[in-house]
Amino acid sequence: MLNERMVSLGTQRSVIRELFEFGKIRAAEVGADNVFDFSIGNPSVPAPAEVNETALKLIREGDPVSLHGYTSAQGDLEVRQKLAASVSSRFDFPVGPGNFYVSVGAAAALCCCLNGLCNPEDEVIVFAPYFPEYKVFIEGAGAKMALIPADIETFQIDFAKFEAAINEKTKAVIVNSPNNPCGVVYSEETVKKLGNILREKSKEYGAPIYLIADEPYREIVFDGTVVPYLPKYYENTLVCYSWSKSLSLPGERLGYVLVPDQVQDHDLVYAAVAGAGRSLGYVNAPVLFQRICAECADLTADVSVYEKNCNLLYNGLKELGFEVVKPDGTFYIFPRTLEEDDIAFCERAKDYNLLIVPGTGFGCPGHTRISYCVPTERVERALAAFKALADSYQK
Ligand code: PLP
């Protein structure tokens, strides 16, 4: 008898994968240029030149044995020293190498936190709309996901619903700002209130409720938006970061967990994160990219195309009558669908060669996610397809 949960996870094809396969079939029929695939969140800009230059330098000049050798389970010490220097200066928040657990992308960072913190029956609060893998990761850690419905007018936190959901089983809260799929950044007001509530509730229940800040989109923000650094607002915050989006390196699988000293019982929490990494086999993240990311930690790919695409889509969709909250960052936009049934809406969009993802999978029905990490000319041409789709609802 196999593990049924794993068999089921391994056999279910995600909606995004289905769309991807559909796109390939459609491209063969109508030509790849006429298919507007807005399904996947794969960065469309190259990594900064320094990334490849550093790779070449390390390969040519690095010690040929240690270049590909094991590091400490939690990541190379020199790498963690460089990351600590970068975080300390960028966020004016002092940290040291002992605060970092280098991981295989943000996904592994989240799993290390969740497995390290949670016991069976614990609850982890997530705000809709949310990255669908959170449920898989939380359940994989033996805990339960408690979902807070979205405030669809702003996509900030609905605090009344949040407070009502906290109970003695609440172990952690995951926040993702800038957010996949809606692109919204939590304001400083939201973050302050969140910290205050968590502090009060931790006191009330006599145990810390941890805040897990999932931040792979931190650097992709528009119009000067500032993303508050959450450990400054709530002491029991663990940061999960990756260079997948900011340096356009999703396939290289590099990120980290940051456990600041201020976290209650820091040494135990750090040990639990490291222990989870050990038990999951997430030790020694890929060594070449540990070193490259440490060298390039202060850089960001040229992400200006995302803001351009965002403005084009936002204005274009508004003109067509869509209701949509303006993203502050990422490369996603999350308009309301023109019919209540978002799955039917996205099916209909396929008739216009628009591949967009139903909001239901993000815990927010009645919406659709459009990933605009594509060339700008594709967004421009797609607006005619969105118009034809909108017109079909007038008939
Ligand atoms: N969290 C969010 C919100 C994401 O959108 C993603 C990837 O798309 C991840 C985590 C996983 O990131 P990584 O590829 O670094 O594992």
Side-chain angles (χ1 to χ4, degrees), residues 41 104-108 110 131 134 176 180 214 216-217 242 244-245 250 253-254 332:
V104 183
L110 287 161
F131 177 55
Y134 289 163
N176 170 224
N180 172 10
D214 178 29
Y217 301 93
S242 91
S244 298
K245 319 286 172 167
R253 316 304 304 132
L254 239 298
Y332 309 108

Side-chain angles (χ1 to χ4, degrees), residues 19-32:
L19 281 169
F20 185 66
E21 295 303 323
F22 173 83
K24 280 199 288 194
I25 296 167
R26 206 75 186 109
E29 289 164 3
V30 300

Side-chain angles (χ1 to χ4, degrees), residues 100-176:
F100 287 85
Y101 188 90
V102 184
S103 71
V104 183
L110 287 161
C111 290
C112 287
C113 290
L114 291 164
N115 282 273
L117 296 176
C118 294
N119 287 301
E121 303 304 313
D122 279 347
E123 291 183 7
V124 178
I125 291 182
V126 166
F127 300 98
Y130 70 98
F131 177 55
E133 294 302 283
Y134 289 163
K135 187 161 192 285
V136 179
F137 299 162
I138 291 167
E139 290 176 357
K144 289 197 180 117
M145 183 172 94
L147 186 62
I148 311 298
D151 168 354
I152 60 171
E153 299 305 322
T154 63
F155 290 128
Q156 298 289 320
I157 292 173
D158 182 330
F159 283 107
K161 291 191 179 128
F162 172 52
E163 281 198 70
I166 301 176
N167 60 55
E168 67 286 350
K169 291 185 187 157
T170 307
K171 180 54 70 70
V173 175
I174 302 181
V175 289
N176 170 224

